[in-house]
Amino acid sequence: MGWGDELMAAGEVQAKAAGRNIKVAIKDVSGNVRWHDAWENHPLIARPGEAYQDSITNGPGARTYTNGVHAGRWVWRRYTPIPADIYFSEKEKKFADSIESGHVVIEPNLKVKSASVNRDWGWDKWQALVNRMPKVKWMQLGPAGTRTLRKVKFIQTDTPRLMAAALSRAVAFVAPEGGLHHTAAALRVPGVVIHGHFNSARVTGYPGMIHLSTEDLGCGSQFFCQACRDAMDAITPEMVAGHLREILNKTRL
């Protein structure tokens, strides 16, 4: 949990403040006002020490899409995230302007943690997707040292905000459920999100994206789960390529 969670929190602030010229504080479970880099320059979110007129509770231990971890599993809640707004600095805008537009961002990497085994589509399938669509201008983002796919342009983005700035130049994306798909929602970039069985579009899915996920909320297991593996194995590069073509055909209309 991290950057994507904070974008979801920003979306909740925007819903809370809708139609009102107010500041909203985001508090932790102890009632303390929080701050995060994802909210930089956001006109509706109050910083610690700043006056505010309303508040939400959203942070570690108080995420609105989960009831926490029980017996080694995340217990999901049915939830519809609200696309956040990201407010770039002039320096970030200049960085975005330096990047050619028209790329499809692809994200094959996951955070190194135990639950990632159930969210891993498989490196060979990511490469097969790229190979299957050679006319696509593929782009991968990340800090120095990021593992990269072949035949993909790499743009070094050492912070999530620079990642977001670069992503704003894309026409589409393909990624696991996570920070990049929440960022894409904030930027209104369409794409394909690979959930599998770990979690579901009914938990972190945005309208307008194609979500490849289980029909239920997902198992949330923090350890190897055969059902998660089977669900990922059932998602083929051909399937993802077909969905991506649908999106790209729409963007060309």
Side-chain angles (χ1 to χ4, degrees), residues 67-239:
N67 287 315
V69 178
H70 300 280
R73 293 178 182 272
W74 285 102
V75 180
W76 308 123
R77 296 177 183 172
R78 187 176 291 274
Y79 178 72
T80 302
I82 300 160
D85 292 325
I86 298 174
Y87 293 85
F88 294 117
S89 67
E90 290 305 313
K91 184 177 181 180
E92 290 161 348
K93 291 176 184 177
K94 186 175 180 180
F95 175 73
D97 289 343
S98 72
I99 298 170
E100 182 184 0
S101 63
H103 285 79
V104 174
V105 169
I106 187 168
E107 178 52 271
N109 294 298
L110 293 164
K111 289 182 180 179
V112 179
K113 54 185 180 179
S114 59
S116 294
V117 67
N118 296 321
R119 301 175 57 237
D120 185 11
W121 190 39
W123 191 266
D124 289 345
K125 285 194 279 189
W126 287 109
Q127 187 64 62
L129 174 62
V130 171
N131 296 345
R132 193 171 188 83
M133 304 182 76
K135 293 183 179 180
V136 168
K137 294 194 294 183
W138 293 103
M139 182 165 68
Q140 197 174 332
L141 309 172
T146 296
R147 185 184 182 188
T148 57
L149 295 160
R150 300 188 307 277
K151 306 174 188 176
V152 173
K153 181 178 182 179
F154 176 68
I155 300 292
Q156 183 172 326
T157 53
D158 290 328
T159 69
R161 293 193 64 87
L162 289 179
M163 176 273 289
L167 181 59
S168 71
R169 302 289 286 167
V171 294
F173 77 94
V174 184
E177 187 278 340
L180 193 140
H181 106 271
H182 292 291
T183 307
L187 300 169
R188 282 55 171 179
V189 176
V192 182
V193 186
I194 299 177
H195 294 258
H197 182 59
F198 177 74
N199 69 2
S200 161
R202 291 158 181 78
V203 180
T204 56
Y206 294 90
M209 293 184 180
I210 296 174
H211 296 271
L212 303 180
S213 75
T214 184
E215 290 298 318
D216 57 18
L217 297 183
C219 81
S221 177
Q222 293 188 310
F223 307 100
F224 176 78
C225 166
Q226 188 60 53
C228 288
R229 184 70 268 146
D230 292 344
M232 281 298 186
D233 289 344
I235 300 170
T236 65
E238 294 79 8
M239 183 188 303

Side-chain angles (χ1 to χ4, degrees), residues 17-97:
R20 299 188 290 165
N21 185 25
I22 62 170
K23 287 276 189 177
V24 178
I26 301 176
K27 296 183 177 181
D28 62 20
V29 291
S30 299
N32 300 310
V33 177
R34 304 174 50 234
W35 185 256
H36 191 275
D37 185 52
W39 312 328
E40 196 66 43
N41 305 313
H42 202 300
L44 300 177
I45 303 177
R47 287 178 174 271
E50 187 178 7
Y52 58 90
Q53 291 73 49
D54 210 337
S55 67
I56 66 169
T57 299
N58 190 313
R63 300 298 187 185
T64 44
Y65 63 91
T66 176
N67 287 315
V69 178
H70 300 280
R73 293 178 182 272
W74 285 102
V75 180
W76 308 123
R77 296 177 183 172
R78 187 176 291 274
Y79 178 72
T80 302
I82 300 160
D85 292 325
I86 298 174
Y87 293 85
F88 294 117
S89 67
E90 290 305 313
K91 184 177 181 180
E92 290 161 348
K93 291 176 184 177
K94 186 175 180 180
F95 175 73
D97 289 343

